[in-house]
Amino acid sequence: MVDVDKVLDEAGLTNPHVREFVAYWAGITGAARVEVVSADDDARLLQESLDAGELLPVDGDRYYSRSYFKDTARSEERTVVATSKESDKGVYNNWKPAEATVATLTERMTGASAGKTMYVIPYLMAPAGSPLEAWAAGVELTDCRPVVNQMIRMARVDVDHINNLSDPSSFVRAVHVTGDLPKLGQGTDQDERLFATVADERTILHYGSSYGGNALLGKIAHGLRQACYDGRASGKFLAEQFLLLGIKDKETGKTFHVVGGFPSASGKTNLSMTLAPDELGDRFEVTFYGDDIAWLWVDDEGKIRAFNPENGVFGVAKDTNEATNPGAVQSILPGSGAIFTNVAYNEKTHEVWWEGKTKHHPDDTDGWLDWKGEPIADRSLGEQGDPWAHPNSRFTTTIANVPNAAPDFDDPAGVVVDAIIFGGRTRDREPLIRAITDIAEGVYDGMTLGAEATFAAEGVEGQLRYDPMSMRPFMAYEEGDYAQHWLDIIGAATEPPIFAHVNWFQRDPQDGHFLWNGYRDNVRALLWLLRFKAGEVTGRPTAVGVIPTAEELNLDGMRFHDGDLEKLLSIDADRWRQEMKFREEHLSQFNLPEAIWEAHRRVAAALDEA
Ligand code: SPV
Ligand code: MN
């Protein structure tokens, strides 16, 4: 048995509730050693991980981690929200009763860390000193050392964060046990993996993975699922899978802030890290706050404020290059300490590569291993076309490494939110941007957010896979209650943000080309929105919101095929009327507040008149 008290004493971990939690789980998991870590331990732990072969060196003090080949993404089917109230059951949250879930996980975790070290990671999901601090502290226990190095990049890690709590019992209890990955039956009827947020006990128990959000419990388990639940239970805040960016007008000195929810593969990471287009760069500067999570609340002056609770970026590597995301490229250069997961790795030169990093993969395959660790040079003819990197391969780096990180990204007071945008991926119907001034219609727009099914076979042609607020896998309680909580929080603001829906993905129906260039030019649509909010432009009202006129958008340096701009700035009423039927079915699943249905009926009636 480990002498837990002695270890905690030596680490200066004094919070009695944390001590009790650590001792309890050390006993259950049967860990051979316990070690308390802080961000200062990063270099030593990296070296230990290298020595043990858990990480491999990448040139320029960077690192490579390869996960088990059946453990390469967040598993939605195996992720549940457990509480003691069945009224928390939603359509998408995989609700389970707390007691049985904790019992199952306790059984699976019993003895499962035998022979391993259990690392104790005291962390904060917020800038220190924020008004939401009571919900930001957590302690993750993990039996996987590279998870510690990742957590040190993604969260603020220090024992002081949990020693000095005003309520010492108020921290999230997070336990991560890797399990015997080759024996877990991933994807079969006997799948033993289980990732549970026991939300009303503020306890997170994840068993059966060492990958990403399954294992870094500060991120989506605490930062989204638990915080979403806490936000409503306290009535104080919203926790959303949103980017957060700033746009500084160098002429006036004012910085505007935008948060945004996008279903996966709709350009969220690239937008969050974008720069102003060259033609506008003299006047506007875009700054980065966060690519994945924002917490929002109403301040004493009635303004909506937000911060990113994370300290780092866990970004998709695929297609990251100087053209798509120069900020990301800069943030993972030699010297950044970045950790790459499941990209291709050269065991001789210690380089990394992924699809889209460069136009073609390296010509000389000598030393190159694919994401599974298999030599590219040994591939059979039939395997030649297989990707080198896993499509969900990632880089982990701290926000401080991002070249255009906002100077105040770490400010505990957060920033005032001027606009809330939702953006799907839609080949027709959705214009470039439509502004929504009514709060209920804005929340309604978020609840009907979605992206086109990637393959026609996944659904009806033209029908979306709905992903309400881009929170489908993270909403911790019933969707109707969630919409009501949004109405309450945003409705309490005396100066609410403006809402908008954006779409960078309209295509020409004949040859399929994108009508809008996208990437850095997307900033032009946001600039119009901020001018519209300020009353500097009026736009053109439609049934589904206000759309810019071509003259109101700053399009300096852009070119369009004939008719494309008109199409980007108009709506197809017939397609919209079809969409309204799909929306009605989608929304009927939830126990929605009447205000959301009224918004739906208003939009439907306006479309019928159009
Ligand atoms: C996502 O999948 O939405 C992520 C990555 O942000 S993970 O943390 O693995 O969920
Ligand atoms: Mn995410």
Side-chain angles (χ1 to χ4, degrees):
M1 274 296 283
V2 193
D3 188 344
V4 177
D5 273 328
K6 183 162 170 265
V7 173
L8 300 181
D9 284 344
E10 279 168 13
L13 196 160
T14 53
N15 182 322
H17 301 273
V18 177
R19 293 176 70 104
E20 192 185 331
F21 162 67
V22 174
Y24 177 76
W25 285 99
I28 301 273
T29 61
R33 290 165 299 277
V34 171
E35 184 180 327
V36 182
V37 298
S38 78
D40 294 341
D41 295 313
D42 190 48
R44 175 180 58 82
L45 292 164
L46 286 168
Q47 191 56 53
E48 289 176 15
S49 296
L50 289 169
D51 294 344
E54 297 158 355
L55 291 176
L56 300 171
V58 175
D59 60 309
D61 288 326
R62 297 171 296 168
Y63 306 90
Y64 179 72
S65 118
R66 187 180 293 126
S67 71
Y68 179 61
F69 77 104
K70 290 180 183 171
D71 183 34
T72 55
R74 182 156 55 72
S75 160
E76 280 179 29
E77 324 78 68
R78 305 300 306 156
T79 303
V80 306
V81 169
T83 71
S84 51
K85 297 200 308 273
E86 193 157 357
S87 58
D88 288 328
K89 184 179 167 77
V91 174
Y92 298 128
N93 70 352
N94 288 340
W95 180 87
K96 295 277 184 289
E99 204 178 312
T101 304
V102 173
T104 302
L105 276 156
T106 305
E107 192 187 311
R108 290 194 191 159
M109 289 180 175
T110 298
S113 304
K116 296 187 176 183
T117 300
M118 187 177 89
Y119 297 92
V120 179
I121 312 172
Y123 67 83
L124 200 59
M125 295 306 290
S130 88
L132 301 182
E133 197 162 62
W135 298 280
V139 178
E140 171 166 356
L141 311 179
T142 178
D143 60 7
C144 178
R145 184 162 32 203
V147 165
V148 182
N149 293 119
Q150 304 251 10
M151 275 295 284
I152 287 173
R153 281 153 185 72
M154 296 305 298
R156 293 157 176 91
V157 176
D158 197 288
V159 75
D160 284 347
H161 296 317
I162 46 102
N163 274 346
N164 304 330
L165 294 173
S166 50
D167 172 359
S169 69
S170 176
F171 62 95
V172 168
R173 291 149 170 82
V175 186
H176 165 242
V177 172
T178 304
D180 192 356
L181 295 172
K183 294 197 182 142
L184 298 179
Q186 292 91 337
T188 70
D189 289 349
Q190 275 82 47
D191 198 329
E192 296 222 357
R193 297 173 301 162
L194 189 54
F195 309 113
T197 296
V198 191
D200 52 358
E201 297 176 24
R202 305 193 77 226
T203 295
I204 296 165
L205 304 174
H206 278 208
Y207 173 76
S209 171
S210 68
Y211 189 84
N214 296 338
L216 315 176
L217 302 187
K219 190 173 173 53
I220 54 177
H222 180 166
L224 283 175
R225 232 174 257 109
Q226 180 65 53
C228 169
Y229 195 88
D230 291 343
R232 172 164 177 261
S234 65
K236 290 263 197 285
F237 67 106
L238 302 168
E240 306 296 329
Q241 189 180 215
F242 284 178
L243 63 82
L244 172 53
L245 62 80
I247 303 180
K248 181 173 178 182
D249 182 341
K250 291 188 254 183
E251 222 164 275
T252 63
K254 181 162 169 41
T255 302
F256 300 91
H257 299 96
V258 179
V259 296
F262 293 72
S264 55
S266 304
K268 184 175 63 148
T269 306
N270 290 342
L271 180 64
S272 75
M273 302 181 104
T274 194
L275 304 173
D278 284 334
E279 296 81 3
L280 277 56
D282 284 344
R283 171 146 180 206
F284 297 103
E285 185 185 346
V286 183
T287 53
F288 174 79
Y289 289 84
D291 70 321
D292 202 33
I293 306 181
W295 291 7
L296 293 83
W297 73 100
V298 193
D299 73 9
D300 295 341
E301 292 170 19
K303 291 180 176 151
I304 299 291
R305 300 188 83 91
F307 61 64
N308 169 17
E310 302 195 271
N311 193 44
V313 179
F314 182 61
V316 173
K318 187 173 187 311
D319 290 329
T320 302
N321 61 50
E322 200 55 57
T324 60
N325 196 334
V329 170
Q330 295 276 321
S331 74
I332 54 181
L333 290 177
S336 61
I339 300 175
F340 299 90
T341 306
N342 291 349
V343 299
Y345 176 71
N346 191 307
E347 61 181 346
K348 293 187 178 159
T349 62
H350 300 170
E351 293 167 282
V352 285
W353 189 82
W354 52 83
E355 274 64 29
K357 181 172 192 270
T358 49
K359 201 155 179 198
H360 302 287
H361 56 64
D363 289 334
D364 183 0
T365 57
D366 185 39
W368 280 103
L369 308 176
D370 69 13
W371 65 273
K372 290 184 182 169
E374 282 159 17
I376 301 285
D378 293 357
R379 283 187 164 183
S380 67
L381 217 52
E383 294 165 336
Q384 298 289 329
D386 292 352
W388 286 26
H390 189 279
N392 191 38
S393 58
R394 301 270 176 161
F395 58 84
T396 312
T397 194
T398 59
I399 294 178
N401 283 329
V402 179
N404 64 326
D408 56 347
F409 85 84
D410 212 14
D411 187 341
V415 294
V416 173
V417 177
D418 297 285
I420 299 174
I421 63 173
F422 298 112
R425 170 186 273 272
T426 320
R427 63 174 53 234
D428 62 2
R429 184 176 58 75
E430 278 292 2
L432 178 67
I433 184 165
R434 48 186 177 87
I436 301 166
T437 48
D438 178 81
I439 293 176
E441 284 177 28
V443 176
Y444 163 72
D445 194 70
M447 293 302 290
T448 52
L449 180 62
E452 262 162 14
T454 5
F455 308 105
E458 274 182 44
V460 181
E461 184 70 19
Q463 195 171 3
L464 301 182
R465 177 190 186 266
Y466 289 108
D467 182 354
M469 301 273 185
S470 68
M471 283 289 282
R472 178 175 166 140
F474 309 113
M475 272 190 201
Y477 55 97
E478 198 270 327
E479 288 82 354
D481 291 336
Y482 175 94
Q484 183 61 55
H485 184 49
W486 259 83
L487 293 173
D488 292 344
I489 294 279
I490 307 295
T494 48
E495 293 177 52
I498 192 166
F499 285 87
H501 194 102
V502 300
N503 178 30
W504 323 130
F505 301 98
Q506 268 205 77
R507 285 175 183 258
D508 181 90
Q510 257 83 53
D511 66 13
H513 76 263
F514 286 105
L515 306 188
W516 177 251
N517 184 51
Y519 300 112
R520 292 165 73 168
D521 288 320
N522 296 340
V523 173
R524 300 171 193 262
L526 302 184
L527 285 168
W528 172 82
L529 180 66
L530 297 168
R531 291 187 67 204
F532 173 72
K533 186 176 183 233
E536 292 165 22
V537 290
T538 52
R540 191 171 61 82
T542 74
V544 293
V546 182
I547 297 177
T549 65
E551 300 71 44
E552 290 171 353
L553 279 170
N554 185 334
L555 301 172
D556 284 357
M558 286 190 80
R559 277 163 203 264
F560 296 91
H561 293 87
D562 270 355
D564 282 3
L565 189 56
E566 292 68 25
K567 194 130 188 272
L568 280 164
L569 302 180
S570 61
I571 65 161
D572 176 342
D574 286 336
R575 279 284 287 113
W576 267 98
R577 284 188 280 265
Q578 177 197 26
E579 168 63 14
M580 294 307 279
K581 296 205 182 72
F582 295 144
R583 286 186 174 189
E584 190 141 335
E585 265 172 57
H586 159 66
L587 294 176
S588 299
Q589 305 174 91
F590 314 135
N591 188 18
L592 284 175
E594 193 47 31
I596 302 297
W597 279 120
E598 280 166 11
H600 176 74
R601 287 193 291 266
R602 269 201 305 281
V603 174
L607 279 165
D608 285 341
E609 272 171 39

